Amino acid sequence: MHTVAVLALSKVIPFDLSTPIEVFTRTRLPDGRPGYQVRVCAERPETDAGAFTLRAPWGLEGLTGADTVIVPGVADPAAPPSPAEREALRRAAADGTRIASICTGTFPLAATGLLDGLRATTHWLAADRLAAAHPDIDVDPNVLYVDNGQILTSAGAAAGLDLCLHLIRRDYGAAVAADAARLSVMPLEREGGQAQFIVHDHTPTPGGSVLEPVLAWLRDNLARPLTLDDIASHAGVSTRTLIRRFRDQTGTTPLQWLHRARIRQAQHLLETTDHSVERVGAQVGFGSPTAFRDRFKRTTGVSPHAYRRAFR
């Protein structure tokens, strides 16, 4: 069973604290067994959580041996973690433990130095502050979460739920994560506002728009070597009109949308089949394995082989 340690720092935000506790304790594997054991840890016997005082069952020793450590947001991002808390996080990272922050939990995690040289996110209102305080971190305020492998960060409030579902998917696959998402009355991946474009799931389709039939046709013809002229011809409009409609209704160009749809389908095939990377690339319309690998890595940040290892 996977053990998750949730670290309650002083002035912890209750919502951010409760999100991983609820999501992970309710996660069930296909045979009904629980997927996670959750420890709530704190340096002191009692921790100020704003509206109430928290009594954590575990001290900082609870981080030792955990598979994942979650650092929830704090009300005062400027307040650094204590030396003991900082050392506990660094020791966990040195032991290979996966560490993830929620919302302003990125600030105490950044104070450990574990995010130096990495891409990270936090609540968009605090992103400039994080970048100013930690210039060695590549702060991206436009995403729901950032996965660097061992170290992950997420944006504000509900983005912590997106992060937890992503972790479940990494640990147990899409089916278990989808079941956890249904229990949370939450889509497995979200779009919008401060949202990462997660290409392995659904791209937003403007329902009822004039583009809807075109997008459906594109999804059905991903393997074909389509050009802009081909798409415009099928839509019955000029290429200029097609580009304008795509910009207005999807926020991107026809070919960019097509590339993302191809990568999305490739992710599905990498997760659910044993087809070679070369065959997957051909199935989604890439003319060469090299072109497929390059596009896949530019879009997802990892190679097709690395993606398959993570999600199979």
Side-chain angles (χ1 to χ4, degrees):
M1 186 186 300
H2 193 110
T3 298
V4 175
V6 182
L7 177 59
L9 301 172
S10 180
K11 305 286 186 180
V12 65
I13 297 173
F15 187 94
D16 296 348
L17 175 75
S18 63
T19 295
I21 296 172
E22 284 297 301
V23 174
F24 290 122
T25 57
R26 293 178 183 273
T27 300
R28 291 293 180 270
L29 303 184
D31 61 4
R33 292 181 296 115
Y36 297 89
Q37 176 189 52
V38 178
R39 304 170 181 172
V40 179
C41 310
E43 180 180 10
R44 297 178 180 84
E46 293 190 347
T47 300
D48 182 2
F52 58 88
T53 299
L54 170 71
R55 291 186 177 180
W58 292 77
L60 294 179
E61 77 280 355
L63 275 63
T64 302
D67 300 289
T68 298
V69 172
I70 305 289
V71 184
V74 288
D76 182 9
S82 72
E85 291 164 337
R86 189 177 311 187
E87 179 57 28
L89 288 170
R90 285 175 173 166
R91 188 166 53 248
D95 289 341
T97 302
R98 184 173 63 188
I99 301 177
S101 65
I102 296 175
C103 193
T104 53
T106 304
F107 283 79
L109 184 55
T112 67
L114 293 173
L115 288 173
D116 288 355
L118 299 179
R119 180 167 164 257
T121 193
T122 187
H123 194 290
W124 63 270
L125 280 173
D128 288 344
R129 186 175 179 181
L130 179 66
H134 300 278
D136 290 333
I137 299 174
D138 178 13
V139 179
D140 188 345
N142 300 311
V143 299
L144 286 176
Y145 57 84
V146 174
D147 183 348
N148 291 296
Q150 184 186 5
I151 310 293
L152 303 91
T153 55
S154 68
L161 182 52
D162 294 283
L163 175 66
C164 291
L165 294 174
H166 174 69
L167 292 175
I168 295 170
R169 181 168 181 155
R170 272 185 51 172
D171 294 337
Y172 293 114
V176 174
D179 184 60
R182 283 190 292 271
L183 287 174
S184 302
V185 195
M186 179 82 177
L188 186 53
E189 300 288 358
R190 288 190 299 129
E191 309 286 346
Q194 180 169 275
Q196 183 178 22
F197 188 81
I198 308 297
V199 296
H200 54 245
D201 270 311
H202 306 293
T203 247
T205 301
S209 77
V210 294
L211 276 185
E212 194 169 12
V214 180
L215 299 182
W217 177 77
L218 285 173
R219 282 191 292 267
D220 290 340
N221 290 272
L222 295 178
R224 292 179 53 188
L226 298 172
T227 66
L228 187 60
D229 287 338
D230 293 332
I231 301 170
S233 176
H234 179 82
V237 297
S238 67
T239 56
R240 179 175 296 180
T241 297
L242 181 75
I243 292 170
R244 186 179 68 251
R245 288 180 180 175
F246 261 81
R247 285 288 188 193
D248 291 343
Q249 298 178 31
T250 71
T252 188
T253 68
L255 293 182
Q256 287 172 337
W257 193 97
L258 179 61
H259 283 314
R260 288 172 177 168
R262 283 172 167 159
I263 296 302
R264 202 163 50 250
Q265 178 62 13
Q267 288 176 303
H268 173 72
L269 292 172
L270 289 169
E271 292 176 23
T272 59
T273 74
D274 292 322
H275 298 168
S276 68
V277 169
E278 291 75 12
R279 180 177 175 184
V280 169
Q283 286 177 293
V284 296
F286 286 91
S288 75
T290 300
F292 170 55
R293 290 188 179 94
D294 288 347
R295 174 66 65 173
F296 192 96
K297 188 164 187 178
R298 285 204 306 272
T299 305
T300 67
V302 296
S303 69
H305 284 295
Y307 184 87
R308 172 169 272 167
R309 286 196 302 269
F311 290 104
R312 283 295 296 272

